[in-house]
């Protein structure tokens, strides 16, 4: 049995992760963490990882960047691998994740769905094939509760395009403040927030007289939760410290 801890277990994603774990015959939920720790009929919920007295095989986190220091301390001290799916980390927090990954296996991705990770590979290929003849723009759409912008996925897609392009691009988030024609070396990133949109990402390659659009739409949160559980199984098998991403997982699947 894979013994899983769920961080952010009372949230929208945490609840779907618990459901996906419940349906998996090889998985057992050991405990949950959330700001409001509470007894839950199925597993104990602690208000911080430090309060958890037991052991587990892996932790899956969909919560908030504010939870990161406690999770890294917990993972490194107890040698529990971490699947970090939360988005909106600062540069300093990303550096702290890199450091912790020297001690414990960590899997981090701004999007745990298989589809977006295939899209990421396609974007890199398209950018390399189209070169500097096409302008790259990214549009992401999410529900009205989302705190961070741009989305973690939009940043992943921008990075994938940058890896394919023959130049080092500058990301432009706010065209209102840019009073000049579009520079060739820009990647524009636009965010839309509304209703209960689960998550849409569109990468537009606009050239002279032709436009290519690559798009992914998530229809439910299950795609992220299932991907996170797949990452958790991968991490528990990996055994050695390191920073892993969907690239490592997708390369095993496709
Ligand atoms: N990588 C991926 O594939 C995906 C990533 N995400 C990311 O996951 C995160 C959570 O999303 P979502 O479930 O929609 O958000 P929710 O707000 O619904 O859930 C977050 C949960 O985490 C709790 N929480 C907040 N701060 C802390 C903390 N410091 N310690 C422990 N728990 C905390 C919240 O408690 P309270 O409500 O009391 O504040 C809440 O229960 C976001 O960063 C989102 O971008 C989402 C979907 C897919
Ligand atoms: O907050 C969300 O909901 C989502 N966040 C992730 C992101 O920031 O890209 C992934 C997904 O699109 C849903």
């Amino acid at each position: 049995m894979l013994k899983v801890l769920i961080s952010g277990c009372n949230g929208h994603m945490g609840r779907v992760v618990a459901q996906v774990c419940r349906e998996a015959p090889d998985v057992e939920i050991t405990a949950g963490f959330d700001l409001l720790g509470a007894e839950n009929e199925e597993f104990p919920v602690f208000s911080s990882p430090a309060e958890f007295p037991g052991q587990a095989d892996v932790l899956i986190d969909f919560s908030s960047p504010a939870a990161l220091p406690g999770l890294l301390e917990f993972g490194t001290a107890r040698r529990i691998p971490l699947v970090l799916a939360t988005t909106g980390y600062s540069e300093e927090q990303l550096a702290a994740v890199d450091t912790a990954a020297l001690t414990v296996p960590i899997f981090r991705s701004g999007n745990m769905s298989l589809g977006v990770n295939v899209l990421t590979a396609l974007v890199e290929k398209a950018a390399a094939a189209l070169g500097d003849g096409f302008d790259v723009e990214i549009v992401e759409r999410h529900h009205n509760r989302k705190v961070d912008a741009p989305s973690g996925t939009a940043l992943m897609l921008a990075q994938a395009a940058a890896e394919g392009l023959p130049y080092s691009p500058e990301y432009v988030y706010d065209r209102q403040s840019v009073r000049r024609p579009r520079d060739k070396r820009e990647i524009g990133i636009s965010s839309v927030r509304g209703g209960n949109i689960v998550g849409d990402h569109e990468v537009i390659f606009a050239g002279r007289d032709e436009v290519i659009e690559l798009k992914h739409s998530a229809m439910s949160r299950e795609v992220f939760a299932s991907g996170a559980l797949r990452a958790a199984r991968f991490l528990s098998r990996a055994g050695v410290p390191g920073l892993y991403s969907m690239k490592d997982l997708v390369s095993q699947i496709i």
Side-chain angles (χ1 to χ4, degrees):
M1 278 296 204
L2 184 73
K3 293 191 163 76
V4 174
L5 299 168
I6 303 175
S7 163
C9 63
N10 296 340
H12 287 72
M13 276 309 307
R15 281 178 273 140
V16 183
V17 172
Q19 185 56 36
V20 166
C21 287
R22 247 173 242 130
E23 288 163 7
D26 61 324
V27 174
E28 186 179 290
I29 306 172
T30 302
F33 305 134
D34 208 289
L35 283 183
L36 296 177
E39 271 310 307
N40 155 327
E41 281 174 14
E42 197 185 347
F43 51 84
V45 180
F46 298 88
S47 57
S48 88
E51 290 172 18
F52 171 64
Q55 253 303 327
D57 298 315
V58 64
L59 177 147
I60 298 176
D61 170 64
F62 285 89
S63 62
S64 152
L68 186 71
L71 292 174
L72 295 181
E73 205 178 308
F74 175 74
T76 51
R78 312 255 192 118
R79 296 292 193 274
I80 295 181
L82 306 173
V83 175
L84 300 178
T86 294
T87 56
Y89 291 136
S90 66
E91 290 300 321
E92 291 74 24
Q93 287 181 312
L94 292 174
V97 171
D98 290 347
T99 305
L102 299 171
T103 308
V104 69
I106 297 184
F107 191 109
R108 192 182 77 78
S109 176
N111 196 305
M112 293 286 171
S113 79
L114 179 61
V116 155
N117 288 281
V118 172
L119 174 68
T120 305
L122 295 175
V123 166
E124 184 177 341
K125 282 207 166 87
L130 298 171
D132 57 7
F134 285 69
D135 296 329
V136 185
E137 292 280 316
I138 298 173
V139 182
E140 55 101 343
R141 300 181 184 85
H142 283 87
H143 50 88
N144 54 21
R145 293 181 299 98
K146 188 160 177 64
V147 180
D148 55 313
S151 67
T153 311
L155 292 171
M156 271 169 57
L157 292 167
Q159 196 188 329
E163 276 161 23
L165 289 170
Y167 53 84
S168 202
E170 181 203 344
Y171 300 166
V172 174
Y173 307 104
D174 178 13
R175 288 223 177 273
Q176 194 193 3
S177 63
V178 183
R179 295 277 161 181
R180 55 166 170 76
R182 190 188 193 285
D183 189 279
K184 281 190 76 61
R185 287 166 185 263
E186 287 173 8
I187 295 183
I189 306 180
S190 311
S191 301
V192 176
R193 297 286 174 266
N196 62 350
I197 302 170
V198 176
D200 290 352
H201 292 89
E202 202 174 339
V203 183
I204 303 162
F205 292 89
R208 190 181 162 91
D209 296 339
E210 55 181 343
V211 175
I212 299 171
E213 293 176 4
L214 298 174
K215 185 177 177 197
H216 178 271
S217 291
M219 307 294 180
S220 79
R221 293 192 164 75
E222 242 181 81
V223 294
F224 310 128
S226 304
L229 184 53
R230 209 177 281 146
R233 291 194 185 97
F234 169 89
L235 215 52
S236 74
R237 283 194 303 266
V240 277
L243 184 60
Y244 301 90
S245 74
M246 285 303 268
K247 245 186 184 167
D248 301 295
L249 195 52
V250 169
S251 67
Q252 288 192 351
I253 300 170
I254 56 172

